[in-house]
Amino acid sequence: MKKIIITGGAGFIGSHVVRRFVKTYPQYQIINLDKLTYAGNLANLKDIENEPNYRFVKGDIVDLAYINNLFEQEQPDAVIHLAAESHVDRSITNPLEFVMTNVVGTVNLLNAAKNIWKGNYEGKRFYHVSTDEVYGTLGETDMFTETTAYDPHSPYSASKASSDHFVRAYHDTYGLPAVISNCSNNYGSFHFPEKLIPLAINNIKQQKPVPVYGKGENVRDWLWVEDHARAIDVIFHKAAIGTTYNIGGHNEWKNIDLIKLLCTILDKKLGREEGESAKLITYVTDRAGHDLRYAIDATKLKAELGWEPSITFEEGLEKTVDWYLANEGWLNDVTSGHYQEYYSEQYNNR
Ligand code: NAD
Ligand code: DAU
């Protein structure tokens, strides 16, 4: 019997991780700890909310007293930490919020785990979920490996880099049984439509302009979110303490090519004339400090733990577009802010 606190479980990737753990490991107790910010949505977990091994607690990882108290009460064996402010553009507007959640929040969790485990680390684990953005940007041919030097450029990536350093510091200084993974761009169901792929699908569907930053030549390495959740499962169970793994899809796309592909897919699915959706492509001012290229070398994860992506990008993108077309209610709710009003009432603005 294992009790695991998963933070940020109501978000995009967190909801897939919670679902996977709840369904795959009925012998584990899964506690989803989430503040329910604009990005957290319990509708992402409707299908498993009544499972006997699942519980949701609403809480803020920045609230030190609350976190210490929760850890004292629950005595978790493990933490899988995904809660974060995750959107680069928002970090440019409001960097301090990213420092609070991503840095202070992570240190609060590390400290709470250290306090309750008291140096007895048998069967314990702190898994920190991080990003490839900590490594900065690449030239045309190189790739990020686990030993690439950190070189973050946005307030978001700087806050994630800092949190990674604190996790390693707690391992090196206090022996905390930590593991870290750094993943490339995810896509799939329940992705909040402020990020490129769901935003483009939503705008194309609604015949609205699709904003392309700069010349659209920036490259991202896309991974299907359920493959990320499976990698987290594998690393959580098999990685040696103190290790780091990169996770990626070997799937690089220039933004403009990806958007054109989405336009073509949606032309077919929505019965539009070929080329009609592409007319919505609109070049806009570039993101400040915009990293040119990310590409993950996930060789270590494949060689040591046997993980590889399970589906091609074409399959994953098709599934994703179908999901968004079939889940118009979810999309309307998150874009209208309806679900946030519901939470304010339901939780009385706690
Ligand atoms: P998301 O923005 O969709 O979800 C974040 C979740 O964290 C939300 O449910 C939100 O309510 C919760 N949260 C935010 N602040 C909180 C706080 N103070 N206390 C408790 N909960 C809080 O994010 P995501 O895209 O699912 O990313 C999850 C994690 O994976 C993040 O740590 C991110 O850095 C990392 N990551 C994301 C990607 C990606 O492509 N999205 C890639 C690699 C790594
Ligand atoms: O690499 C992993 C990271 O991927 C995660 O750590 C982040 O949490 C996640 O948000 C994502 O960051 P990006 O900045 O790469 O994702 P985003 O979807 O915001 O943008 C993808 C690319 O598309 C990027 O080059 C900026 C560009 N873009 C984005 C938006 C929202 C546009 O051209 N137009 C847009 O409207």
Side-chain angles (χ1 to χ4, degrees), residues 86-89 130-133 156 183-186 191 194-197 199 211-213 216 218-220 222 255 259 284 287 290-291 294:
S86 69
H87 192 38
V88 174
D89 295 326
S130 193
T131 170
D132 62 354
E133 298 204 12
Y156 163 69
C183 189
S184 61
N185 287 64
N186 285 217
H191 203 182
E194 64 186 352
K195 309 278 169 64
L196 180 67
I197 289 183
L199 181 140
V212 179
Y213 296 170
N218 304 68
V219 174
R220 296 293 181 265
W222 294 94
N255 292 338
I259 290 168
V284 299
R287 173 185 279 172
H290 198 172
D291 288 333
Y294 303 148

Side-chain angles (χ1 to χ4, degrees), residues 7-15 33-41 59-62 81-87 100-102 105 128-132 156 160 181-187 190-192 194-195 222 228:
T7 72
F12 164 48
I13 301 171
S15 62
L33 165 63
D34 199 296
K35 183 182 172 183
L36 299 181
T37 66
Y38 78 94
N41 185 356
D60 185 347
I61 60 169
V62 178
H81 175 36
L82 296 106
E85 286 295 333
S86 69
H87 192 38
M100 294 311 291
T101 297
N102 299 359
H128 179 60
V129 175
S130 193
T131 170
D132 62 354
Y156 163 69
K160 290 297 289 187
S181 58
N182 297 84
C183 189
S184 61
N185 287 64
N186 285 217
Y187 70 96
F190 304 113
H191 203 182
F192 196 84
E194 64 186 352
K195 309 278 169 64
W222 294 94
H228 187 190

Side-chain angles (χ1 to χ4, degrees), residues 96-153:
L96 199 55
E97 200 167 351
F98 283 67
V99 175
M100 294 311 291
T101 297
N102 299 359
V103 186
V104 177
T106 300
V107 178
N108 284 346
L109 293 167
L110 289 164
N111 226 38
K114 171 178 158 288
N115 288 346
I116 58 157
W117 293 339
K118 297 186 173 66
N120 179 7
Y121 295 137
E122 188 62 35
K124 305 291 190 277
R125 184 157 285 222
F126 191 105
Y127 185 152
H128 179 60
V129 175
S130 193
T131 170
D132 62 354
E133 298 204 12
V134 299
Y135 299 124
T137 188
L138 292 166
E140 275 186 15
T141 54
D142 44 347
M143 296 185 102
F144 299 135
T145 71
E146 288 79 359
T147 56
T148 300
Y150 276 31
D151 183 23
H153 298 124

